Every structure is written in structure tokens, then in C-alpha cells.
Amino acid sequence: MNPPAFRLQDLRRIYQEGDTRRAALDGLSLDIERGSFVAVVGASGSGKSTLLAVLGALDRGYEGRVEVLGQDLARLDERALGRLRNATLGFVFQSFHLLPHLTVLDNVASPALFADEPFDAAQAALLALRQVGLEDRALDRPQHLSGGQRQRVALARALLRSPPILLCDEPTGNLDSRTGAEVIALLERLHQEHQRTVIVVTHEERLAQRAQRRIALEDGRVKEDSGAA
Ligand SMILES: Nc1ncnc2c1ncn2[C@@H]1O[C@H](COP(=O)(O)OP(=O)(O)OP(=O)(O)O)[C@@H](O)[C@H]1O
Ligand SMILES: [Mg+2]
């Protein structure tokens, strides 16, 4: 048995505001194969970030069923979820979320603070920085880096535990065209190198075109799904 990276069955995410219930995700059923590179596109408010947060086990307020590598998220306790977030899933956000008072190295190593088993975070952080080509900036502060370099640091942090799955929400959204292209090339390499599953939410056509599959959302539903296995 070789379960897919993700299996969604009738996934819904309802937000209640006063008397109104709004479905940010309105019945998604799909598989995402391991090792695939998937772009999630759609207008603002269509549910892209909501979907990523559910896939990343950050948002548990959903209905329906979500499996990550064959594990039903609803059946995992906090400890098992923590392990999943730490070792299986890597996150990258549009606005980097780096801590300014920490060095680049410590930023990359910071998820280890939440690890429940000991491991050599400094060593792993250096290795991750090497993968994004920023080993020589390890002792610098994030504010001394360019936008593209900051996003590479955020990617290194996501890679700390070598997760098989990378989830990226608008990873090039704050970057100019040239630095955006660098980050796109890096994502492609990270996908190919270890047959990682990469899911990117993006408005950028250039990035979406690199993906093997494009899932377009509209009002919390799948409007189009092209290139699915
Ligand atoms: N915490 C929340 N409380 C209430 N409604 C929310 C919350 N988060 C998201 N929503 C609603 O869910 C819908 C989908 O939001 P989501 O952030 O997933 O959109 P998106 O596709 O990522 O948009 P964007 O491209 O602007 O980032 C929107 O209507 C939004 O207002
Ligand atoms: Mg969003």
C-alpha cells in the first residue's frame, strides 16, 4: 500500500460570523500524489490559504476527512500532530516570518525548539542553509538580507527536518520578478531532488506553469483540476 501525500474527502471549512455561515472550503474531494508539484490558484478569497492550513495540520476546525500519507488527521493526538508538523510538513509563507533578533542560523534552527526528540539542530540548520545556497550568511541577521535571500532562509527553515512535503503560500508574493524567479527555480530543485511533494499557492502564472498539476479554486470549490494523475 502506498497512500497519496494527501487524500481529501468532502472537506469543508465553515466560518461562522454571527448568524451567517460562510464556507471557505465547500466540499473538496481529491488526492494529491506523492512527489507531485501542484499549484493551487484562484481569486482572492477562494479558499487557497484555508486549504493549505488544513493540509498542514494547522487548522483542525474542518469537516470531512483529511489524510496525510495515509494518516487520518482527526485520529492524531496533539503529540502526533506536532511530530507531523515538524518532520513531515514544511511551511513557507509570503511574508517570511523570520525573527529579526536571531541570526539566520538560529532562525532556521528555531523549529527544533518544539521538537520532542533531540537532534542536532545547528548541524541540520547548516545543511538546510547549504541546500538554499546561504551557508555563508549563517551568522548574519535577516534584515541584512535581500527579500529573495530571506525567502530562501524561510525555505531552509522549512527544510530543517527534511520533510517529504513542502507547503508554500504565495512564496514569491513579496518578491520582485528576478528574485521570484530564483525562488521558483529553487522550489523546482527541491521538488526534484528528493521527490518531494510540493504544493504552492500562487497568483503567479510563471510559477503555476512549472507545476505538473493545477487546482483552481472558486468560492471554496474545485473549479478546474488539470494534470491530475
Ligand atoms: N479566520 C477567519 N474567519 C472568518 N472567515 C475567514 C477566516 N479566514 C478566512 N476566512 C474567509 O474564508 C474565505 C477564504 O479565505 P482564504 O484566506 O482561504 O482565501 P485565499 O484564496 O487565500 O485569498 P488570498 O488570495 O487573498 O490570500 C474568505 O472569504 C475569507 O474571508
Ligand atoms: Mg491566501
Side-chain angles (χ1 to χ4, degrees):
M1 200 184 87
N2 205 2
F6 295 98
R7 170 160 288 168
L8 310 181
Q9 284 170 342
D10 202 24
L11 169 63
R12 283 166 212 278
R13 180 59 170 102
I14 316 283
Y15 287 112
Q16 181 103 28
E17 278 167 30
D19 289 341
T20 26
R21 283 162 56 84
R22 189 175 328 107
L25 298 174
D26 196 9
L28 301 191
S29 298
L30 52 89
D31 284 2
I32 293 178
E33 293 310 321
R34 288 187 201 208
S36 54
F37 191 156
V38 178
V40 179
V41 300
S44 181
S46 57
K48 306 182 297 296
S49 295
T50 305
L51 175 61
L52 222 59
V54 171
L55 295 182
L58 297 173
D59 176 2
R60 307 195 72 193
Y62 64 86
E63 297 162 28
R65 187 178 170 99
V66 180
E67 288 176 22
V68 181
L69 295 172
Q71 302 182 85
D72 180 353
L73 283 189
R75 297 177 72 95
L76 301 183
D77 61 19
E78 278 306 321
R79 194 182 157 82
L81 275 176
R83 210 173 303 127
L84 187 78
R85 286 188 209 107
N86 253 317
T88 305
L89 303 161
F91 272 94
V92 178
F93 301 95
Q94 176 172 356
S95 51
F96 322 145
H97 294 302
L98 300 177
L99 299 166
H101 56 284
L102 294 184
T103 62
V104 162
L105 186 76
D106 286 343
N107 264 284
V108 172
S110 62
L113 296 172
F114 307 101
D116 56 3
E117 71 269 32
F119 88 113
D120 188 345
Q123 184 64 29
L126 267 179
L127 201 68
L129 279 170
R130 192 178 306 155
Q131 286 183 270
V132 303
L134 282 177
E135 215 184 355
D136 57 332
R137 306 305 292 270
L139 299 180
D140 235 318
R141 304 273 161 180
Q143 67 265 33
H144 296 152
L145 303 183
S146 70
Q149 288 169 333
R150 288 180 205 192
Q151 191 56 299
R152 278 151 62 196
V153 173
L155 262 167
R157 181 182 51 196
L159 293 170
L160 184 69
R161 306 290 298 272
S162 290
I165 299 173
L166 275 182
L167 302 171
C168 314
D169 197 348
E170 302 273 5
T172 60
N174 273 339
L175 303 178
D176 63 46
S177 161
R178 195 176 58 82
T179 25
E182 283 170 24
V183 168
I184 292 170
L186 179 58
L187 283 173
E188 277 193 305
R189 181 158 67 71
L190 293 173
H191 166 242
Q192 282 162 6
E193 269 178 2
H194 297 281
Q195 287 91 45
R196 285 199 177 85
T197 309
V198 178
I199 304 181
V200 225
V201 165
T202 188
H203 280 111
E204 205 178 334
E205 195 47 43
R206 217 169 30 144
L207 176 50
Q209 275 176 2
R210 305 295 184 95
Q212 299 155 334
R213 176 178 177 189
R214 170 197 298 248
I215 299 172
L217 298 183
E218 186 177 72
D219 298 330
R221 297 199 184 92
V222 176
K223 182 190 176 200
E224 202 185 298
D225 188 350
S226 62

